[in-house]
Structure formats: C-alpha cells, structure tokens
Coordinates of all heavy atoms in Angstrom, one line a residue:
S1 N -70.0 71.4 123.9 CA -68.7 71.8 123.2 C -67.7 72.4 124.3 O -66.6 72.6 123.9 CB -68.9 72.8 122.1 OG -69.4 74.0 122.5
H2 N -68.2 72.7 125.5 CA -67.3 73.2 126.5 C -67.2 72.3 127.7 O -66.7 72.8 128.8 CB -67.9 74.6 127.0 CG -67.7 75.7 125.9 ND1 -68.6 75.9 124.9 CD2 -66.8 76.6 125.8 CE1 -68.2 76.8 124.1 NE2 -67.1 77.3 124.6
L3 N -67.5 71.1 127.6 CA -67.4 70.1 128.7 C -66.0 70.1 129.3 O -65.8 69.8 130.5 CB -67.8 68.7 128.3 CG -69.3 68.5 128.1 CD1 -69.6 67.1 127.7 CD2 -70.1 68.8 129.4
N4 N -65.0 70.2 128.5 CA -63.6 70.1 129.1 C -62.9 71.4 129.3 O -61.7 71.5 129.5 CB -62.8 69.3 128.1 CG -63.3 67.9 128.0 OD1 -63.6 67.2 129.0 ND2 -63.4 67.4 126.7
D5 N -63.7 72.5 129.4 CA -63.1 73.8 129.6 C -62.9 74.0 131.1 O -63.8 74.0 131.9 CB -64.1 74.9 129.2 CG -63.5 76.3 129.3 OD1 -62.6 76.5 130.1 OD2 -63.9 77.2 128.5
P6 N -61.6 74.1 131.5 CA -61.3 74.1 133.0 C -61.7 75.4 133.6 O -61.7 75.5 134.9 CB -59.8 74.0 133.0 CG -59.3 74.5 131.7 CD -60.4 74.1 130.7
N7 N -62.1 76.4 132.8 CA -62.5 77.7 133.4 C -64.0 77.8 133.6 O -64.5 78.8 134.0 CB -62.1 78.8 132.5 CG -60.6 78.9 132.4 OD1 -59.9 78.9 133.4 ND2 -60.1 79.0 131.2
L8 N -64.8 76.7 133.3 CA -66.2 76.7 133.5 C -66.7 75.6 134.4 O -66.1 74.6 134.5 CB -66.9 76.5 132.1 CG -66.6 77.6 131.1 CD1 -67.2 77.2 129.7 CD2 -67.2 78.9 131.5
R9 N -67.8 75.9 135.1 CA -68.4 74.9 136.0 C -69.9 75.0 135.8 O -70.5 76.1 135.9 CB -68.0 75.2 137.5 CG -68.7 74.3 138.5 CD -68.2 72.9 138.4 NE -66.9 72.8 139.0 CZ -66.4 71.8 139.7 NH1 -67.2 70.8 140.0 NH2 -65.2 71.8 140.2
S10 N -70.5 73.9 135.6 CA -72.0 73.8 135.5 C -72.6 73.5 136.9 O -71.9 72.8 137.7 CB -72.4 72.7 134.5 OG -72.0 73.1 133.2
S11 N -73.8 74.0 137.1 CA -74.4 73.6 138.3 C -75.9 73.2 138.0 O -76.5 73.6 137.1 CB -74.4 74.8 139.3 OG -75.2 75.9 138.8
K12 N -76.4 72.3 138.9 CA -77.7 71.9 138.8 C -78.4 72.2 140.1 O -78.0 71.8 141.1 CB -77.8 70.4 138.5 CG -79.2 69.8 138.4 CD -79.2 68.3 138.0 CE -80.5 67.8 138.0 NZ -81.1 67.8 136.7
W13 N -79.5 73.0 140.0 CA -80.2 73.4 141.2 C -81.5 72.6 141.2 O -82.2 72.5 140.3 CB -80.6 74.9 141.1 CG -79.5 75.8 141.0 CD1 -78.2 75.5 140.6 CD2 -79.5 77.2 141.1 NE1 -77.4 76.7 140.6 CE2 -78.2 77.7 140.9 CE3 -80.5 78.1 141.5 CZ2 -77.9 79.1 141.0 CZ3 -80.2 79.4 141.6 CH2 -78.9 79.9 141.4
M14 N -81.8 71.9 142.4 CA -82.9 71.1 142.4 C -83.5 71.0 143.8 O -82.8 71.3 144.8 CB -82.6 69.7 141.9 CG -81.6 69.0 142.8 SD -80.4 67.9 142.0 CE -79.0 69.0 141.9
L15 N -84.8 70.6 143.9 CA -85.4 70.2 145.2 C -85.1 68.8 145.6 O -84.8 68.5 146.7 CB -86.9 70.4 145.1 CG -87.4 71.9 145.1 CD1 -88.9 71.9 144.8 CD2 -87.0 72.6 146.3
D16 N -85.2 67.9 144.6 CA -84.9 66.5 144.8 C -83.5 66.1 144.4 O -83.3 66.0 143.2 CB -86.0 65.7 144.0 CG -85.8 64.2 144.1 OD1 -84.9 63.7 144.9 OD2 -86.4 63.5 143.4
T17 N -82.6 66.1 145.3 CA -81.2 65.9 145.0 C -80.9 64.5 144.4 O -79.9 64.2 143.9 CB -80.3 66.2 146.2 OG1 -80.7 65.4 147.3 CG2 -80.3 67.6 146.5
S18 N -81.9 63.5 144.6 CA -81.7 62.2 144.0 C -81.7 62.3 142.4 O -81.1 61.4 141.8 CB -82.8 61.2 144.4 OG -84.0 61.6 143.9
A19 N -82.3 63.3 141.9 CA -82.2 63.5 140.4 C -80.8 63.7 139.9 O -80.5 63.4 138.8 CB -83.1 64.7 140.0
Y20 N -80.0 64.3 140.8 CA -78.6 64.6 140.4 C -77.9 63.3 140.1 O -77.1 63.1 139.2 CB -77.9 65.3 141.5 CG -76.4 65.6 141.2 CD1 -76.1 66.7 140.4 CD2 -75.4 64.8 141.7 CE1 -74.7 66.9 140.1 CE2 -74.1 65.1 141.4 CZ -73.7 66.2 140.6 OH -72.4 66.4 140.3
D21 N -78.2 62.2 140.9 CA -77.5 60.9 140.7 C -78.0 60.2 139.5 O -77.4 59.3 139.0 CB -77.8 60.1 142.0 CG -77.1 60.7 143.2 OD1 -76.1 61.3 143.1 OD2 -77.7 60.5 144.3
Q22 N -79.2 60.6 139.0 CA -79.7 59.9 137.8 C -79.1 60.4 136.5 O -79.3 59.7 135.5 CB -81.3 60.1 137.8 CG -81.9 59.4 139.0 CD -83.4 59.8 139.0 OE1 -84.0 60.4 138.1 NE2 -84.1 59.4 140.1
G23 N -78.5 61.5 136.5 CA -77.8 62.0 135.3 C -77.7 63.5 135.3 O -78.6 64.2 135.8
H24 N -76.5 63.9 134.9 CA -76.2 65.4 134.9 C -75.1 65.6 133.9 O -74.4 64.7 133.5 CB -75.9 65.9 136.3 CG -74.8 65.1 136.9 ND1 -73.5 65.4 136.7 CD2 -74.8 64.0 137.8 CE1 -72.7 64.5 137.4 NE2 -73.5 63.7 138.1
V25 N -74.8 66.9 133.7 CA -73.6 67.2 132.9 C -72.4 66.8 133.6 O -72.2 67.0 134.8 CB -73.6 68.8 132.6 CG1 -72.3 69.2 131.9 CG2 -74.8 69.2 131.9
P26 N -71.5 66.1 132.9 CA -70.2 65.6 133.5 C -69.5 66.8 134.2 O -69.3 67.9 133.6 CB -69.4 65.0 132.4 CG -70.5 64.6 131.4 CD -71.6 65.6 131.5
G27 N -69.1 66.6 135.4 CA -68.3 67.7 136.1 C -69.2 68.7 136.8 O -68.7 69.6 137.5
A28 N -70.5 68.6 136.6 CA -71.4 69.6 137.2 C -71.5 69.4 138.7 O -71.4 68.2 139.2 CB -72.8 69.5 136.6
V29 N -71.8 70.4 139.4 CA -72.0 70.3 140.9 C -73.5 70.4 141.1 O -74.2 71.2 140.4 CB -71.2 71.4 141.6 CG1 -71.6 72.8 141.2 CG2 -71.4 71.3 143.1
G30 N -74.1 69.7 142.1 CA -75.5 69.7 142.4 C -75.7 70.5 143.6 O -75.1 70.2 144.7
W31 N -76.7 71.4 143.6 CA -77.1 72.2 144.8 C -78.5 72.0 145.1 O -79.4 72.0 144.2 CB -76.8 73.6 144.6 CG -75.3 74.0 144.5 CD1 -74.3 73.4 145.2 CD2 -74.8 75.0 143.7 NE1 -73.1 74.0 144.9 CE2 -73.4 75.0 144.0 CE3 -75.3 76.0 142.9 CZ2 -72.5 75.9 143.4 CZ3 -74.4 76.9 142.3 CH2 -73.0 76.8 142.6
N32 N -78.8 71.8 146.4 CA -80.2 71.7 146.9 C -80.8 73.1 147.1 O -80.2 73.9 147.9 CB -80.2 70.9 148.1 CG -81.6 70.6 148.6 OD1 -82.3 71.6 149.0 ND2 -82.0 69.4 148.6
W33 N -81.9 73.4 146.4 CA -82.5 74.7 146.5 C -82.8 75.0 148.0 O -82.6 76.1 148.5 CB -83.8 74.7 145.7 CG -84.7 75.8 146.1 CD1 -85.9 75.7 146.7 CD2 -84.5 77.2 145.9 NE1 -86.5 76.9 146.9 CE2 -85.6 77.9 146.4 CE3 -83.5 78.0 145.4 CZ2 -85.8 79.3 146.4 CZ3 -83.6 79.4 145.4 CH2 -84.8 80.0 145.9
Q34 N -83.4 74.1 148.7 CA -83.9 74.4 150.1 C -82.8 74.5 151.1 O -82.9 75.3 152.0 CB -84.9 73.3 150.5 CG -86.2 73.4 149.7 CD -87.1 72.2 150.0 OE1 -86.7 71.1 150.2 NE2 -88.4 72.5 150.2
T35 N -81.7 73.7 151.0 CA -80.7 73.8 152.0 C -79.5 74.6 151.7 O -78.7 74.9 152.6 CB -80.3 72.3 152.4 OG1 -79.7 71.7 151.2 CG2 -81.5 71.5 152.9
Q36 N -79.3 74.9 150.4 CA -78.0 75.6 150.0 C -78.2 76.9 149.3 O -77.4 77.7 149.3 CB -77.2 74.6 149.1 CG -76.7 73.4 149.8 CD -75.9 72.5 148.9 OE1 -76.5 71.9 148.0 NE2 -74.6 72.5 149.0
L37 N -79.4 77.1 148.6 CA -79.5 78.2 147.8 C -80.6 79.2 148.3 O -80.7 80.3 147.8 CB -79.9 77.8 146.3 CG -78.8 77.1 145.6 CD1 -79.4 76.5 144.3 CD2 -77.7 78.1 145.2
Q38 N -81.4 78.8 149.2 CA -82.5 79.6 149.7 C -82.2 80.3 151.0 O -81.6 79.7 151.9 CB -83.7 78.7 149.9 CG -84.9 79.4 150.4 CD -86.1 78.5 150.5 OE1 -87.2 78.8 149.9 NE2 -86.0 77.4 151.2
D39 N -82.5 81.6 151.1 CA -82.4 82.3 152.4 C -83.7 81.9 153.1 O -84.8 82.2 152.7 CB -82.4 83.8 152.1 CG -82.3 84.6 153.4 OD1 -83.0 84.2 154.4 OD2 -81.6 85.6 153.5
T40 N -83.6 81.1 154.2 CA -84.7 80.5 154.8 C -85.6 81.6 155.5 O -86.8 81.3 155.8 CB -84.3 79.4 155.8 OG1 -83.4 80.0 156.8 CG2 -83.7 78.3 155.1
L41 N -85.1 82.7 155.9 CA -85.9 83.8 156.5 C -86.7 84.5 155.5 O -87.9 84.8 155.7 CB -85.0 84.7 157.3 CG -84.2 84.2 158.4 CD1 -83.3 85.2 159.1 CD2 -85.2 83.6 159.5
R42 N -86.1 84.8 154.3 CA -86.8 85.6 153.3 C -87.5 84.7 152.3 O -88.3 85.2 151.4 CB -85.9 86.6 152.6 CG -85.3 87.6 153.5 CD -84.4 88.6 152.7 NE -83.3 87.8 152.1 CZ -82.8 88.0 150.9 NH1 -83.4 88.9 150.1 NH2 -81.8 87.3 150.4
R43 N -87.2 83.4 152.3 CA -87.7 82.5 151.3 C -87.4 83.0 149.9 O -88.2 83.0 149.0 CB -89.1 82.1 151.5 CG -89.4 81.6 152.8 CD -90.5 80.7 153.0 NE -90.9 79.8 152.0 CZ -90.5 78.5 151.9 NH1 -89.7 78.0 152.8 NH2 -91.0 77.7 151.0
D44 N -86.2 83.4 149.7 CA -85.7 83.9 148.4 C -84.3 83.4 148.2 O -83.7 82.7 149.0 CB -85.7 85.5 148.5 CG -85.6 86.1 147.1 OD1 -85.5 85.4 146.1 OD2 -85.7 87.4 147.1
L45 N -83.7 83.7 147.1 CA -82.3 83.3 146.8 C -81.4 83.8 148.0 O -81.6 84.8 148.6 CB -81.8 83.9 145.5 CG -82.3 83.2 144.2 CD1 -81.8 84.0 143.0 CD2 -81.8 81.8 144.1
A46 N -80.3 83.0 148.2 CA -79.3 83.4 149.2 C -78.7 84.7 148.8 O -78.7 85.1 147.6 CB -78.3 82.3 149.3

C-alpha cells in the first residue's frame, strides 16, 4: 500500500545479489551483506 510513497525506500540485504535480479519490491535498492553492510574487521554491521 506504500509502493508509491516518495518518502519511503525499501532495501533488500542479501549474500547472493543475483536474487535481487530475480524479483524484489519495485523501487527497492539491493545491498550486498559482505561488501556493503558488513564491517570486515569486526564481522558485524557497518
């Protein structure tokens, strides 16, 4: 019900970014857990 709300953005966090191409919420941004969201030194969230 909020797909067209310009004030909201959905995100999909994944290890296998090919899954993003297979289907996602329209307008969502895809982030790779290992390369974009993970602090590689602490192995925790950025």
Side-chain angles (χ1 to χ4, degrees):
S1 68
H2 289 84
L3 286 179
N4 297 316
D5 187 333
N7 297 312
L8 297 174
R9 175 69 74 139
S10 295
S11 63
K12 180 177 177 90
W13 302 16
M14 68 213 97
L15 288 173
D16 177 10
T17 54
S18 67
Y20 180 80
D21 296 328
Q22 295 173 8
H24 54 84
V25 173
V29 60
W31 290 327
N32 183 294
W33 161 251
Q34 293 174 315
T35 61
Q36 294 177 289
L37 293 167
Q38 178 179 234
D39 181 318
T40 56
L41 296 177
R42 296 182 300 136
R43 302 207 37 94
D44 198 356
L45 285 172

